[in-house]
Amino acid sequence: MYSVNYHRAASVADAVKKVKAGDGKFLAGGMTLIPTMKSRLAAPSDVVDITRIASLSGITVSGKTVTIGATTTHAEVATNAKLAKVCPALCSLASHIGDPHVRHKGTIGGSISNNDPAADYPSAMLALGATIVTNKRQIPADKFFKGLFETALKEDEMVTEVTFTAPAKAGYAKFPNPASRYAVTGVFVAKGKDGVRAAVTGAGDNGVFRSKEVEAALAKKFDAASLDGVKVSAKGLMGDIHATPEYRANLVVVMAKRAVAAANG
Amino acid sequence: MSEVTINVNGRTVTKTVEDRTLLVHFLREELGLTGTHVGCDTSQCGSCVVHVDGKAVKSCTMLAAQASGSSVVTIEGLANGAELHPVQAAFKEHHGLQCGFCTPGMIMAAVDMINRHPEGLDEATVRAELEGNICRCTGYHNIVKAVLAASAAMGKASKGKAKAA
Ligand code: FES
Ligand code: FES
């Protein structure tokens, strides 16, 4: 790791000020940033630890409205009893990120800000139609995820929380890479009052996206059988050593079926 | 440089270290606690697992400065004098190790796992929960046996045992 200056922020304003002072990065769980710095792929001049800002952590559920603070860990999301009552799919998703040690540190805000094309949370945010709240504004998930590791966030902008209305039904299924547990392909489906939304992670050449084919099939009937015979185009899908675009296209349908089956319990 | 104060195994220590110092290097090189191992460069192997404020984390993926103000327990902090912790005793009894390199991380992960599952553990849960700990020697069978035995011995009847009985 290259030399770096560590700061601990007392408040969101303090964090933003400290990040702006140099070529700084916000540091939450560090489950991506620290490994990237260790391998010298990232070399920020400063890291600003935001995990001691109490207002950024925690889960509130009021009625169907769910709000999750940016530094809430995957372990906290996985085991939150109130969230499990209204949106168990999100608890299940969080319980399969990485491994137990990663889940103790990694945060929802960090995951969506990094927007790794194979991360789990971006698909949930997109399918749930979540609102990403930052220190400056509110951004709908549809406008937040911009591409590979790219989001609508500006340099001095920080995610503070995410909020969404729990849908009537939701489910998530992924085909995990056996080594990293990142999604080779993962699909989050949600059936809410505005219809069905299905978001795919791990497969898109340009990061997380909504699958028109899956949504159209499920709009008729929210049932795994509705996806029988549905074909997803391999165009625009990722090809790498783990899977070809065609293989991923097939996985989209298979994972969508499993997600719907999970949602229908 | 930063002044870092951490309670390690019940003793509060303060050192001035480079900000980029990883917690695992702080433990091994500043404090001489070499029971915590480094088995990879990529945050994947789990041989560096310690408890920070009661939770299992990879000490190779955290700056010492991030842990300032926290309490850390390492493998050296588990035994009570000559008396092994029940998880250590179970690894010995069930031969849950061969070369021993992964063992400190395995044991710290197992203690955390048992703490988080007071209802008891079954084999599938133990195997899933060991996701973040790699062993090059044992093939895991005896590690899983040891964790199940320790879970039962720690007064928390494991689901697997209850079913077998
Ligand atoms: S040394 Fe391998 S995960 Fe920490
Ligand atoms: S006993 Fe050798 S690596 Fe596990």
Side-chain angles (χ1 to χ4, degrees), chain A residues 38 99 101, chain B residues 24 37-49 57-61 101 132:
Chain A
K38 278 168 65 177
D99 58 53
H101 325 311
Chain B
V24 69
H37 292 168
V38 179
C40 72
D41 267 349
T42 47
S43 303
Q44 283 169 314
C45 76
S47 69
C48 62
V49 170
V57 303
K58 293 173 186 170
S59 60
C60 74
T61 312
F101 196 88

PDB file of all heavy atoms in Angstrom, chain A residues 38 99 101, chain B residues 24 37-49 57-61 101 132, ligand 1:
ATOM      1  N   LYS A  38      -4.156  -2.066  -1.135  1.00  0.00           N
ATOM      2  CA  LYS A  38      -3.082  -3.027  -0.884  1.00  0.00           C
ATOM      3  C   LYS A  38      -2.414  -3.456  -2.183  1.00  0.00           C
ATOM      4  O   LYS A  38      -1.194  -3.626  -2.244  1.00  0.00           O
ATOM      5  CB  LYS A  38      -3.638  -4.264  -0.163  1.00  0.00           C
ATOM      6  CG  LYS A  38      -3.794  -4.084   1.332  1.00  0.00           C
ATOM      7  CD  LYS A  38      -4.620  -5.204   1.947  1.00  0.00           C
ATOM      8  CE  LYS A  38      -3.942  -6.555   1.846  1.00  0.00           C
ATOM      9  NZ  LYS A  38      -4.765  -7.607   2.536  1.00  0.00           N
ATOM     10  N   ASP A  99     -18.325 -13.254   2.778  1.00  0.00           N
ATOM     11  CA  ASP A  99     -18.275 -14.254   3.846  1.00  0.00           C
ATOM     12  C   ASP A  99     -18.583 -13.529   5.162  1.00  0.00           C
ATOM     13  O   ASP A  99     -18.714 -12.310   5.176  1.00  0.00           O
ATOM     14  CB  ASP A  99     -16.900 -14.931   3.846  1.00  0.00           C
ATOM     15  CG  ASP A  99     -15.758 -13.942   4.037  1.00  0.00           C
ATOM     16  OD1 ASP A  99     -15.787 -13.161   5.012  1.00  0.00           O
ATOM     17  OD2 ASP A  99     -14.827 -13.923   3.206  1.00  0.00           O
ATOM     18  N   HIS A 101     -16.936 -12.526   7.704  1.00  0.00           N
ATOM     19  CA  HIS A 101     -16.021 -11.457   8.121  1.00  0.00           C
ATOM     20  C   HIS A 101     -16.214 -10.216   7.264  1.00  0.00           C
ATOM     21  O   HIS A 101     -16.159  -9.085   7.756  1.00  0.00           O
ATOM     22  CB  HIS A 101     -14.573 -11.945   8.078  1.00  0.00           C
ATOM     23  CG  HIS A 101     -14.428 -13.386   8.446  1.00  0.00           C
ATOM     24  ND1 HIS A 101     -15.008 -13.907   9.583  1.00  0.00           N
ATOM     25  CD2 HIS A 101     -13.850 -14.437   7.802  1.00  0.00           C
ATOM     26  CE1 HIS A 101     -14.754 -15.219   9.632  1.00  0.00           C
ATOM     27  NE2 HIS A 101     -14.064 -15.560   8.559  1.00  0.00           N
TER      28      HIS A 101
ATOM     29  N   VAL B  24      -3.247  -6.268  11.075  1.00  0.00           N
ATOM     30  CA  VAL B  24      -2.483  -7.509  11.257  1.00  0.00           C
ATOM     31  C   VAL B  24      -1.001  -7.212  11.470  1.00  0.00           C
ATOM     32  O   VAL B  24      -0.340  -7.862  12.282  1.00  0.00           O
ATOM     33  CB  VAL B  24      -2.703  -8.504  10.081  1.00  0.00           C
ATOM     34  CG1 VAL B  24      -2.078  -8.018   8.769  1.00  0.00           C
ATOM     35  CG2 VAL B  24      -2.160  -9.878  10.435  1.00  0.00           C
ATOM     36  N   HIS B  37      -2.122 -14.833  11.490  1.00  0.00           N
ATOM     37  CA  HIS B  37      -1.308 -15.082  10.291  1.00  0.00           C
ATOM     38  C   HIS B  37      -1.724 -14.235   9.089  1.00  0.00           C
ATOM     39  O   HIS B  37      -2.827 -13.678   9.074  1.00  0.00           O
ATOM     40  CB  HIS B  37      -1.386 -16.564   9.902  1.00  0.00           C
ATOM     41  CG  HIS B  37      -0.710 -17.468  10.894  1.00  0.00           C
ATOM     42  ND1 HIS B  37      -0.854 -18.836  10.877  1.00  0.00           N
ATOM     43  CD2 HIS B  37       0.123 -17.181  11.934  1.00  0.00           C
ATOM     44  CE1 HIS B  37      -0.131 -19.362  11.866  1.00  0.00           C
ATOM     45  NE2 HIS B  37       0.460 -18.382  12.519  1.00  0.00           N
ATOM     46  N   VAL B  38      -0.840 -14.196   8.105  1.00  0.00           N
ATOM     47  CA  VAL B  38      -1.145 -13.582   6.817  1.00  0.00           C
ATOM     48  C   VAL B  38      -0.959 -14.673   5.769  1.00  0.00           C
ATOM     49  O   VAL B  38       0.151 -15.134   5.537  1.00  0.00           O
ATOM     50  CB  VAL B  38      -0.191 -12.409   6.486  1.00  0.00           C
ATOM     51  CG1 VAL B  38      -0.537 -11.813   5.122  1.00  0.00           C
ATOM     52  CG2 VAL B  38      -0.285 -11.338   7.565  1.00  0.00           C
ATOM     53  N   GLY B  39      -2.060 -15.081   5.144  1.00  0.00           N
ATOM     54  CA  GLY B  39      -1.965 -16.182   4.188  1.00  0.00           C
ATOM     55  C   GLY B  39      -2.176 -15.765   2.758  1.00  0.00           C
ATOM     56  O   GLY B  39      -2.052 -16.574   1.844  1.00  0.00           O
ATOM     57  N   CYS B  40      -2.527 -14.503   2.542  1.00  0.00           N
ATOM     58  CA  CYS B  40      -2.774 -14.059   1.170  1.00  0.00           C
ATOM     59  C   CYS B  40      -2.600 -12.553   1.079  1.00  0.00           C
ATOM     60  O   CYS B  40      -2.454 -11.868   2.075  1.00  0.00           O
ATOM     61  CB  CYS B  40      -4.183 -14.453   0.721  1.00  0.00           C
ATOM     62  SG  CYS B  40      -5.489 -13.473   1.501  1.00  0.00           S
ATOM     63  N   ASP B  41      -2.649 -12.066  -0.140  1.00  0.00           N
ATOM     64  CA  ASP B  41      -2.546 -10.637  -0.430  1.00  0.00           C
ATOM     65  C   ASP B  41      -3.899 -10.053  -0.772  1.00  0.00           C
ATOM     66  O   ASP B  41      -4.020  -8.879  -1.073  1.00  0.00           O
ATOM     67  CB  ASP B  41      -1.666 -10.437  -1.677  1.00  0.00           C
ATOM     68  CG  ASP B  41      -0.230 -10.212  -1.314  1.00  0.00           C
ATOM     69  OD1 ASP B  41       0.047 -10.005  -0.128  1.00  0.00           O
ATOM     70  OD2 ASP B  41       0.612 -10.251  -2.233  1.00  0.00           O
ATOM     71  N   THR B  42      -4.905 -10.918  -0.854  1.00  0.00           N
ATOM     72  CA  THR B  42      -6.133 -10.552  -1.546  1.00  0.00           C
ATOM     73  C   THR B  42      -7.392 -10.617  -0.684  1.00  0.00           C
ATOM     74  O   THR B  42      -8.499 -10.657  -1.201  1.00  0.00           O
ATOM     75  CB  THR B  42      -6.316 -11.495  -2.753  1.00  0.00           C
ATOM     76  OG1 THR B  42      -6.095 -12.836  -2.305  1.00  0.00           O
ATOM     77  CG2 THR B  42      -5.322 -11.168  -3.857  1.00  0.00           C
ATOM     78  N   SER B  43      -7.224 -10.669   0.629  1.00  0.00           N
ATOM     79  CA  SER B  43      -8.367 -10.650   1.555  1.00  0.00           C
ATOM     80  C   SER B  43      -9.287 -11.854   1.385  1.00  0.00           C
ATOM     81  O   SER B  43     -10.486 -11.745   1.593  1.00  0.00           O
ATOM     82  CB  SER B  43      -9.173  -9.357   1.375  1.00  0.00           C
ATOM     83  OG  SER B  43      -8.353  -8.235   1.570  1.00  0.00           O
ATOM     84  N   GLN B  44      -8.724 -12.995   1.021  1.00  0.00           N
ATOM     85  CA  GLN B  44      -9.562 -14.147   0.733  1.00  0.00           C
ATOM     86  C   GLN B  44      -9.403 -15.329   1.685  1.00  0.00           C
ATOM     87  O   GLN B  44     -10.273 -16.180   1.735  1.00  0.00           O
ATOM     88  CB  GLN B  44      -9.265 -14.657  -0.701  1.00  0.00           C
ATOM     89  CG  GLN B  44      -9.897 -13.790  -1.771  1.00  0.00           C
ATOM     90  CD  GLN B  44      -9.393 -14.126  -3.156  1.00  0.00           C
ATOM     91  OE1 GLN B  44      -8.202 -14.273  -3.376  1.00  0.00           O
ATOM     92  NE2 GLN B  44     -10.310 -14.264  -4.097  1.00  0.00           N
ATOM     93  N   CYS B  45      -8.271 -15.426   2.412  1.00  0.00           N
ATOM     94  CA  CYS B  45      -7.966 -16.703   3.061  1.00  0.00           C
ATOM     95  C   CYS B  45      -8.468 -16.821   4.484  1.00  0.00           C
ATOM     96  O   CYS B  45      -8.676 -17.911   4.981  1.00  0.00           O
ATOM     97  CB  CYS B  45      -6.465 -16.963   3.014  1.00  0.00           C
ATOM     98  SG  CYS B  45      -5.532 -15.967   4.210  1.00  0.00           S
ATOM     99  N   GLY B  46      -8.594 -15.707   5.205  1.00  0.00           N
ATOM    100  CA  GLY B  46      -9.141 -15.749   6.560  1.00  0.00           C
ATOM    101  C   GLY B  46      -8.163 -16.175   7.645  1.00  0.00           C
ATOM    102  O   GLY B  46      -8.559 -16.302   8.798  1.00  0.00           O
ATOM    103  N   SER B  47      -6.887 -16.361   7.303  1.00  0.00           N
ATOM    104  CA  SER B  47      -5.951 -16.781   8.351  1.00  0.00           C
ATOM    105  C   SER B  47      -5.640 -15.630   9.318  1.00  0.00           C
ATOM    106  O   SER B  47      -5.036 -15.826  10.356  1.00  0.00           O
ATOM    107  CB  SER B  47      -4.658 -17.336   7.750  1.00  0.00           C
ATOM    108  OG  SER B  47      -3.924 -16.301   7.143  1.00  0.00           O
ATOM    109  N   CYS B  48      -6.099 -14.427   8.967  1.00  0.00           N
ATOM    110  CA  CYS B  48      -5.825 -13.228   9.761  1.00  0.00           C
ATOM    111  C   CYS B  48      -7.013 -12.820  10.637  1.00  0.00           C
ATOM    112  O   CYS B  48      -7.025 -11.713  11.173  1.00  0.00           O
ATOM    113  CB  CYS B  48      -5.518 -12.081   8.808  1.00  0.00           C
ATOM    114  SG  CYS B  48      -6.955 -11.761   7.753  1.00  0.00           S
ATOM    115  N   VAL B  49      -8.024 -13.682  10.746  1.00  0.00           N
ATOM    116  CA  VAL B  49      -9.251 -13.262  11.442  1.00  0.00           C
ATOM    117  C   VAL B  49      -9.004 -13.017  12.931  1.00  0.00           C
ATOM    118  O   VAL B  49      -8.390 -13.845  13.617  1.00  0.00           O
ATOM    119  CB  VAL B  49     -10.381 -14.300  11.238  1.00  0.00           C
ATOM    120  CG1 VAL B  49     -11.566 -14.009  12.150  1.00  0.00           C
ATOM    121  CG2 VAL B  49     -10.842 -14.296   9.777  1.00  0.00           C
ATOM    122  N   VAL B  57     -13.367 -10.206  12.008  1.00  0.00           N
ATOM    123  CA  VAL B  57     -13.010  -9.425  10.819  1.00  0.00           C
ATOM    124  C   VAL B  57     -11.630  -9.861  10.336  1.00  0.00           C
ATOM    125  O   VAL B  57     -10.871 -10.485  11.081  1.00  0.00           O
ATOM    126  CB  VAL B  57     -12.987  -7.895  11.098  1.00  0.00           C
ATOM    127  CG1 VAL B  57     -14.333  -7.413  11.626  1.00  0.00           C
ATOM    128  CG2 VAL B  57     -11.883  -7.531  12.060  1.00  0.00           C
ATOM    129  N   LYS B  58     -11.330  -9.506   9.083  1.00  0.00           N
ATOM    130  CA  LYS B  58     -10.014  -9.823   8.537  1.00  0.00           C
ATOM    131  C   LYS B  58      -9.060  -8.690   8.897  1.00  0.00           C
ATOM    132  O   LYS B  58      -9.211  -7.570   8.393  1.00  0.00           O
ATOM    133  CB  LYS B  58     -10.108  -9.986   7.016  1.00  0.00           C
ATOM    134  CG  LYS B  58     -10.940 -11.207   6.620  1.00  0.00           C
ATOM    135  CD  LYS B  58     -11.174 -11.284   5.130  1.00  0.00           C
ATOM    136  CE  LYS B  58     -12.127 -12.431   4.823  1.00  0.00           C
ATOM    137  NZ  LYS B  58     -12.582 -12.442   3.442  1.00  0.00           N
ATOM    138  N   SER B  59      -8.074  -8.993   9.733  1.00  0.00           N
ATOM    139  CA  SER B  59      -7.190  -7.925  10.208  1.00  0.00           C
ATOM    140  C   SER B  59      -6.232  -7.457   9.117  1.00  0.00           C
ATOM    141  O   SER B  59      -5.543  -6.460   9.274  1.00  0.00           O
ATOM    142  CB  SER B  59      -6.412  -8.380  11.440  1.00  0.00           C
ATOM    143  OG  SER B  59      -5.617  -9.508  11.143  1.00  0.00           O
ATOM    144  N   CYS B  60      -6.213  -8.156   7.977  1.00  0.00           N
ATOM    145  CA  CYS B  60      -5.382  -7.719   6.854  1.00  0.00           C
ATOM    146  C   CYS B  60      -6.140  -6.730   5.980  1.00  0.00           C
ATOM    147  O   CYS B  60      -5.598  -6.224   5.003  1.00  0.00           O
ATOM    148  CB  CYS B  60      -4.970  -8.907   5.989  1.00  0.00           C
ATOM    149  SG  CYS B  60      -6.325  -9.530   4.975  1.00  0.00           S
ATOM    150  N   THR B  61      -7.404  -6.494   6.313  1.00  0.00           N
ATOM    151  CA  THR B  61      -8.225  -5.645   5.450  1.00  0.00           C
ATOM    152  C   THR B  61      -8.786  -4.482   6.262  1.00  0.00           C
ATOM    153  O   THR B  61      -9.895  -4.019   6.061  1.00  0.00           O
ATOM    154  CB  THR B  61      -9.334  -6.499   4.794  1.00  0.00           C
ATOM    155  OG1 THR B  61      -8.723  -7.677   4.257  1.00  0.00           O
ATOM    156  CG2 THR B  61     -10.016  -5.779   3.641  1.00  0.00           C
ATOM    157  N   PHE B 101      -1.450 -23.617   9.706  1.00  0.00           N
ATOM    158  CA  PHE B 101      -1.344 -22.220   9.266  1.00  0.00           C
ATOM    159  C   PHE B 101      -2.687 -21.497   9.316  1.00  0.00           C
ATOM    160  O   PHE B 101      -2.781 -20.349   9.704  1.00  0.00           O
ATOM    161  CB  PHE B 101      -0.746 -22.121   7.850  1.00  0.00           C
ATOM    162  CG  PHE B 101      -0.281 -20.728   7.543  1.00  0.00           C
ATOM    163  CD1 PHE B 101       1.006 -20.325   7.865  1.00  0.00           C
ATOM    164  CD2 PHE B 101      -1.153 -19.803   6.978  1.00  0.00           C
ATOM    165  CE1 PHE B 101       1.428 -19.020   7.624  1.00  0.00           C
ATOM    166  CE2 PHE B 101      -0.741 -18.499   6.734  1.00  0.00           C
ATOM    167  CZ  PHE B 101       0.553 -18.114   7.060  1.00  0.00           C
ATOM    168  N   GLY B 132     -15.273 -17.898   4.419  1.00  0.00           N
ATOM    169  CA  GLY B 132     -14.156 -16.943   4.376  1.00  0.00           C
ATOM    170  C   GLY B 132     -12.850 -17.477   4.938  1.00  0.00           C
ATOM    171  O   GLY B 132     -11.928 -16.706   5.175  1.00  0.00           O
TER     172      GLY B 132
HETATM  173  S1  FES C   1      -4.409 -12.665   5.158  1.00  0.00           S
HETATM  174 FE1  FES C   1      -5.702 -13.706   3.773  1.00  0.00          FE
HETATM  175  S2  FES C   1      -7.635 -12.830   4.277  1.00  0.00           S
HETATM  176 FE2  FES C   1      -6.328 -11.778   5.577  1.00  0.00          FE
END
